Amino acid sequence: MFEVLVFVYENYWRGDACPELPQLERKLSAVGFQADEIHQALTWLDGLNLAAQGTRAVPPEGTRALPTQSATSMRVFSVAEQDRLGAEALSFIAFLESAGVLPPAMREIVIDRAMAAGTDTLLLDDLKIIILMVYWSVGEEPDALVLDELCDDAQDRVAH
């Protein structure tokens, strides 16, 4: 599924530039992705679109914007979330939050989509793809340093 998501991200720079799901399904099939991979990715993307609707600056008519989080509140992860995400992914989410680049509403979408990924334990690289897709879906581009952190392989880095 994550290969399909990367393809969609690379080929449709903004979420609103992405074709409707039936047309996207045909394009993905023509590129050579397997039908079950496409179905899983499109189901996941549909859930992402639904989750992202409440975070847009002007919510769609008939819906409400998500309430803002208090500066003194704290997110407590359930046991299921801790098991699925693991310590490395939870630490990465905390890092992005503390850097001020992952607002609470987007964090909740990231966690929701991570839980919907259908894997027992989420790899950090897969979480980074999810975070990119959340930015993409709300129509925001992460700043260059965040984008570098999300796209760069830390194992290839050389310490100075």
Side-chain angles (χ1 to χ4, degrees):
M1 173 183 84
F2 289 103
E3 292 84 15
V4 175
L5 296 178
V6 169
F7 179 86
V8 170
Y9 181 82
E10 288 176 345
N11 288 280
Y12 303 102
W13 290 94
R14 293 184 342 252
D16 59 354
C18 188
E20 295 294 319
L21 295 182
Q23 184 181 2
L24 180 59
E25 181 176 15
R26 287 190 299 276
K27 287 185 180 213
L28 293 170
S29 182
V31 171
F33 289 108
Q34 299 296 319
D36 59 332
E37 233 181 350
I38 293 170
H39 177 72
Q40 187 179 18
L42 293 181
T43 301
W44 190 92
L45 280 171
D46 190 43
L48 176 62
N49 290 335
L50 289 172
Q53 285 179 355
T55 62
R56 296 193 176 100
V58 179
E61 191 173 319
T63 62
R64 297 179 342 149
L66 293 175
T68 57
Q69 178 176 312
S70 166
T72 59
S73 64
M74 180 176 75
R75 173 63 155 89
V76 177
F77 294 92
S78 72
V79 173
E81 291 169 339
Q82 291 175 38
D83 289 344
R84 174 76 49 92
L85 295 171
E88 190 175 29
L90 290 171
S91 295
F92 190 73
I93 290 170
F95 161 71
L96 293 176
E97 280 187 285
S98 67
V101 297
L102 189 64
M106 286 176 63
R107 176 200 61 218
E108 292 306 311
I109 296 172
V110 167
I111 294 167
D112 174 69
R113 295 292 79 208
M115 296 302 287
T119 60
D120 290 336
T121 302
L122 194 69
L123 301 173
L124 182 59
D125 287 341
D126 294 341
L127 176 69
K128 289 178 179 183
I129 293 168
I130 290 171
I131 293 168
L132 280 172
M133 294 304 293
V134 169
Y135 269 103
W136 176 81
S137 70
V138 297
E140 289 186 32
E141 187 169 326
D143 113 333
L145 294 174
V146 174
L147 192 58
D148 184 51
E149 189 66 38
L150 292 172
C151 295
D152 190 32
D153 187 1
Q155 294 178 345
D156 293 339
R157 292 185 187 165
V158 177
H160 295 285

